[in-house]
Amino acid sequence: MTGNDIVDITAAAVESNWKRTGFLEKIFTQIEQEYIDNAAAPTQMVWRLWTMKESAYKIYTRQFGGRFFAPQKLSCSLLNKNTGLVTINHISYQTITSTANDYIYTIAWPEACADFYSACFAIPGQHSTSQQQFIYEKLIAHYAGIQCADKNNFIVLKEKNNIPFLYCKKEKIKIPVSITHHGSYAAFTIN
Amino acid sequence: MTTEALMEKLKGIVKPYVKSEEGFKNMTENSDFLNDLKINSANLVDVILDIETEFDIIIDNDSMEKMLNVKAAMDIITTKLNEK
């Protein structure tokens, strides 16, 4: 089981002004604010920490249910340039972050579950419904490919709270997936 | 402040961050900021900061935690205004 989150740097620059008064204080702990203050590239650090929180939140809510908006409860520590740890209510998730020129992408997973596949890619178009379809098709093509199965056997569905899974029609099984999309970029993870 | 007036103010606040025109057109107390209005979660912080400025209130972390839909936002604003 994994969670992931992507931020399109260009889209984020238009949509969010992280320098506005109060913004960082609402989201980040004191330690995280120090990471940002001391970062050579503070914008990238803001979105790295943000994607760490979001990806960990996605697993946490999948495991324990519920919904909440409490970014400070998901507390980040950085281990090295790419890896980190997010802790919430004494539960920790490991993270790995890829930083490209145009996007920042983080995957989080619980200790016991380090085996997963992830793909991150640019998506064409502007319309969110067709972009979503594009992501679903890529995910299904990947899984059908490794299973040597017919693509038509699979469909991406969402449970309550918008948690997605890949449904195998014939076998009637649900495979947890995590899907993220922002601006011109998207990614998925599957175990 | 009446519920209608509060709703109008809230509509003005969320409008710049809404990604679903359809969701905004049909915005009610039951609308979810993320699922119905398609506000991205980083912009939810902007909504909260804008609410603080507009109503001159402080939204603490415990209140922010529940701020996922219009009803919760209206309840929190009303409570904070009554505390003033």
Side-chain angles (χ1 to χ4, degrees):
Chain A
M1 195 183 295
T2 48
N4 65 1
D5 194 62
I6 198 162
V7 165
D8 177 326
I9 302 277
T10 314
V14 177
E15 291 167 3
S16 292
N17 171 19
W18 62 264
K19 291 178 181 162
R20 80 177 279 191
T21 306
F23 189 90
L24 295 179
E25 290 80 359
K26 283 270 187 250
I27 299 176
F28 298 110
T29 65
Q30 203 57 48
I31 290 167
E32 292 159 359
Q33 290 180 48
E34 283 168 26
Y35 283 137
I36 296 164
D37 284 343
N38 298 327
T43 301
Q44 291 184 335
M45 183 58 79
V46 166
W47 299 123
R48 177 182 176 185
L49 294 166
W50 175 260
T51 55
M52 284 172 70
K53 286 171 189 279
E54 287 276 294
S55 52
Y57 173 82
K58 286 181 188 174
I59 317 178
Y60 183 82
T61 49
R62 196 191 274 271
Q63 286 180 308
F64 302 103
R67 285 178 77 211
F68 52 87
F69 187 63
Q72 290 207 18
K73 278 195 178 169
L74 295 135
S75 141
C76 302
S77 48
L78 304 182
L79 301 178
N80 68 26
K81 198 166 170 286
N82 306 313
T83 61
L85 216 55
V86 182
T87 305
I88 172 165
N89 296 336
H90 306 291
I91 295 163
S92 289
Y93 300 100
Q94 299 184 55
T95 61
I96 186 153
T97 304
S98 326
T99 305
N101 285 336
D102 297 342
Y103 65 83
I104 291 190
Y105 173 50
T106 295
I107 308 166
W109 65 94
E111 300 283 340
C113 166
D115 188 23
F116 56 84
Y117 174 85
S118 168
C120 175
F121 42 89
I123 41 172
Q126 296 282 324
H127 195 259
S128 64
T129 313
S130 66
Q131 287 182 323
Q132 179 170 293
Q133 201 49 44
F134 182 85
I135 302 165
Y136 287 4
E137 280 166 17
K138 262 192 118 77
L139 172 56
I140 289 169
H142 162 75
Y143 195 73
I146 57 164
Q147 296 288 315
C148 301
D150 181 1
K151 281 184 202 170
N152 294 319
N153 188 35
F154 305 103
I155 184 169
V156 178
L157 296 173
K158 284 181 174 176
E159 291 183 293
K160 66 173 168 57
N161 289 353
N162 266 331
I163 294 175
F165 60 89
L166 186 68
Y167 184 67
C168 312
K169 294 177 198 163
K170 205 165 63 191
E171 299 84 353
K172 295 191 169 61
I173 53 167
K174 297 196 280 189
I175 299 163
V177 297
S178 187
I179 295 169
T180 178
H181 166 212
H182 182 227
S184 305
Y185 292 92
F188 65 80
T189 52
I190 182 164
N191 288 79
Chain B
M1 193 181 302
T2 64
T3 311
E4 290 76 19
L6 187 51
M7 182 63 129
E8 281 315 303
K9 279 203 166 189
L10 206 51
K11 277 187 176 171
I13 288 169
V14 300
K15 194 167 193 283
Y17 310 110
V18 166
K19 291 270 174 59
S20 165
E21 284 304 320
E22 182 76 19
F24 186 66
K25 212 170 63 192
N26 301 320
M27 180 170 152
T28 67
E29 278 198 20
N30 297 318
S31 298
D32 188 282
F33 287 137
L34 308 178
N35 297 335
D36 297 322
L37 302 179
K38 307 283 181 200
I39 295 173
N40 86 36
S41 43
N43 283 143
L44 201 46
V45 180
D46 293 298
V47 170
I48 288 160
L49 291 170
D50 291 349
I51 287 174
E52 288 189 335
T53 308
E54 174 70 34
F55 297 97
D56 191 24
I57 53 177
I58 305 278
I59 296 175
D60 53 273
N61 286 346
D62 286 344
S63 302
M64 185 163 104
E65 193 163 334
K66 304 183 198 90
M67 217 37 131
L68 291 166
N69 56 60
V70 174
K71 176 146 198 343
M74 290 172 78
D75 288 347
I76 290 160
I77 294 165
T78 308
T79 308
K80 298 286 175 192
L81 286 175
N82 288 339
E83 282 168 7
K84 284 220 277 190

